[in-house]
């Protein structure tokens, strides 16, 4: 019997979880991602002899199914529990960088990187360089504005209710600065949430375990990021660094990088765990469905895979 071909767009937590379950259930699964590595917003960057998480910083676990998966990852030393200041119960981090969890999940899966899907037609997904991936069932876990663009470029026509669900989903953006310091007199104790500031969050990557060099990540607030979304990156970096000068001796900053997340956190989400299109063999999932974080992405991928099984 020929195996059903599943193509998954997006090697973030949602896509990888769906792939894990479906591969285990003997489907023929291929994941394509436009990035150079797996993980999507579970992102870690190497620069200037150091490392910093610039997307998700930690995650919580509330469901049994995610807890079971996390227990296994903890046994393999991929993750550890972590106490954030201002939070009472432990969260989890990856001491070697948040992208080690998606790398762990991708083991044994057929993942094609640097493959941006730009069009879908008659059971085939086409990349920018006109490579083709055929499928019986397609799962898309990209941020929804990018999914809507892909559908428009593919002449995929949505039913009115599908259009309503997808167009109601919204994301907060986030500017992220990663800075390596010469010395760091650490008063952050792990990570610190800031109120009434252009900065919402500052974290010490060395304390998380990523690097021996003092390296911080600064996340701008949703309001600041939204109102400065199209501004010059250098100007934004200077403003964000200046905003933490009462916490960090910014004179000690050796070098820094900045990254703009256009779709960081899904602020308006669909309540269902995924959307199956009525007229196409396409399921759409990811953190925009459900609780809107790493666990939500995992549960969305799981739900899609179980529905296909
Ligand atoms: C700055 C920031 C801070 C965050 N903080 C936290 C936190 O503290 N705790 C928490 O739980 N969550 C946090 N999150 C959210 C969390 O990272 C996400 O909810 C989760 O990682 C989303 O996973 P996903 O699989 O749904 O999507 P993604 O991780 O976005 O994966 C989607 C993938 O699709 C790929 N893709 C998109 N379009 C295409 C295309 N056309 N062709 C091929 N590939 C494509 C992308 O490259 C990407 O890899 C944060 C996110 C950011 C950005």
């Amino acid at each position: 019997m020929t195996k059903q071909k599943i193509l998954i767009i997006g090697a973030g937590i949602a896509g990888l979880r769906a792939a894990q379950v479906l591969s285990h259930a003997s489907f023929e699964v291929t994941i394509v991602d436009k990035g150079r590595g797996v993980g999507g917003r579970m992102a870690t960057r190497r620069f200037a002899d150091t490392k910093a998480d610039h997307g998700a910083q930690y995650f919580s676990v509330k469901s049994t199914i995610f807890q079971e998966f996390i227990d296994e990852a903890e046994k393999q030393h991929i993750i550890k529990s972590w106490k954030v200041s201002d939070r009472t119960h432990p969260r989890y981090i990856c001491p070697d960088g948040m992208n080690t969890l998606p790398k762990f999940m991708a083991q044994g899966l057929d993942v094609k990187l640097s493959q941006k899907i730009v069009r879908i037609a008659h059971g085939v997904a086409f990349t920018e360089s006109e490579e083709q991936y055929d499928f019986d069932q397609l799962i898309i876990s990209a941020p929804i504005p990018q999914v809507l663009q892909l559908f428009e470029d593919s002449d995929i026509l949505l039913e009115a209710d599908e259009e309503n669900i997808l167009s109601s989903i919204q994301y907060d953006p986030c500017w992220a600065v990663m800075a390596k310091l010469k010395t760091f007199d650490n008063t952050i104790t792990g990570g610190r949430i800031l109120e009434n500031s252009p900065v919402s969050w500052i974290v010490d990557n060395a304390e998380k375990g990523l690097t021996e060099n003092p390296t911080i990540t600064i996340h701008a607030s949703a309001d600041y990021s939204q109102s400065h979304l199209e501004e010059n990156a250098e100007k934004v970096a200077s403003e964000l660094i200046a905003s933490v000068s009462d916490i960090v001796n910014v004179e000690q900053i050796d070098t820094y990088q900045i990254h703009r997340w256009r779709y960081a956190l899904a602020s308006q989400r669909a309540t269902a765990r995924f959307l199956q299109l009525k007229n196409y063999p396409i399921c759409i999932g990811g953190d925009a469905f459900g609780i809107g974080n790493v666990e939500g992405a995992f549960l969305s991928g799981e739900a899609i895979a179980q529905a296909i099984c």
Side-chain angles (χ1 to χ4, degrees):
M1 207 173 78
T2 50
K3 288 184 179 177
Q4 233 198 319
K5 277 190 184 174
I6 313 278
L7 180 67
I8 302 178
I9 302 177
I13 294 294
L16 288 169
R17 181 55 186 173
Q20 282 187 315
V21 176
L22 290 165
S23 298
H24 193 68
S26 299
F27 289 89
E28 189 181 321
V29 182
T30 303
I31 314 182
V32 286
D33 198 294
K34 65 182 180 180
R36 282 183 287 134
V38 298
R41 282 170 275 165
M42 291 278 275
T44 307
R45 188 177 293 184
R46 280 178 192 276
F47 68 105
D49 235 3
T50 193
K51 270 202 294 188
D53 289 327
H54 59 299
Q57 297 292 315
Y58 59 88
F59 54 88
S60 50
V61 180
K62 294 188 176 132
S63 60
T64 313
I65 185 141
F66 192 43
Q67 186 69 61
E68 281 168 6
F69 167 77
I70 284 308
D71 289 346
E72 183 54 36
E74 196 169 14
K75 265 193 234 151
Q76 309 278 337
H77 308 290
I78 306 294
I79 60 158
K80 68 173 189 189
S81 68
W82 192 58
K83 170 89 172 62
V84 195
S85 63
D86 302 345
R87 288 278 190 265
T88 45
H89 59 276
R91 279 21 189 186
Y92 290 90
I93 58 164
C94 305
D96 281 336
M98 292 301 270
N99 69 356
T100 50
L101 185 64
K103 279 183 182 168
F104 168 69
M105 294 172 80
Q107 282 170 13
L109 298 175
D110 179 19
V111 185
K112 316 277 190 213
L113 296 171
S114 305
Q115 301 286 304
K116 181 175 180 184
I117 301 300
V118 291
R119 192 164 53 88
I120 304 159
H122 311 296
V124 181
F126 296 83
T127 68
E128 267 173 327
S129 51
E130 284 294 313
E131 277 185 70
Q132 302 185 11
Y133 294 92
D134 59 327
F135 59 84
D136 298 308
Q137 176 74 47
L138 177 67
I139 298 171
I140 311 180
S141 61
I144 301 306
Q146 296 173 347
V147 177
L148 289 171
Q149 185 62 55
L150 179 61
F151 287 169
E152 203 177 313
D153 297 342
S154 308
D155 293 328
I156 287 182
L157 300 175
L158 298 171
E159 296 285 329
D161 57 335
E162 296 167 345
E163 178 89 49
N164 284 343
I165 292 170
L166 295 179
S167 55
S168 70
I169 289 169
Q170 286 178 26
Y171 297 78
D172 285 335
C174 180
W175 277 107
V177 173
M178 297 141 270
K180 181 181 168 194
L181 294 102
K182 291 178 208 126
T183 58
F184 183 30
D185 186 12
N186 188 354
T187 55
I188 300 175
T189 56
R192 190 189 294 178
I193 294 157
L194 307 185
E195 312 277 353
N196 306 318
S197 163
V199 171
S200 64
W201 163 258
I202 177 165
V203 69
D204 176 1
N205 290 280
E207 194 172 326
K208 283 173 84 177
L210 273 74
T211 172
E212 289 184 354
N213 294 310
T215 309
I216 53 170
T217 300
I218 300 165
H219 279 168
S221 68
D223 284 349
Y224 177 93
S225 300
Q226 188 64 59
S227 57
H228 294 72
L229 195 56
E230 307 303 339
E231 245 172 55
N232 176 278
E234 289 305 313
K235 185 169 174 273
V236 169
S238 306
E239 282 181 10
L240 294 177
I241 288 169
S243 303
V244 296
S245 58
D246 54 339
I247 305 173
V248 175
N249 182 358
V250 295
E251 308 272 290
Q252 289 297 316
I253 291 181
D254 182 20
T255 182
Y256 66 83
Q257 298 207 345
I258 182 159
H259 182 86
R260 179 180 57 189
W261 294 101
R262 214 172 258 285
Y263 309 111
L265 288 161
S267 51
Q268 300 277 336
R269 302 178 296 277
T271 42
R273 292 245 186 266
F274 66 95
L275 177 69
Q276 161 84 66
L277 298 188
K278 293 187 190 106
N279 303 323
Y280 304 89
I282 299 177
C283 285
I284 306 155
D287 68 337
F289 296 83
I291 54 177
N293 54 15
V294 171
E295 181 171 25
F298 180 94
L299 294 175
S300 175
E302 173 79 28
I304 294 175
Q306 295 301 347
I308 291 173
C309 287

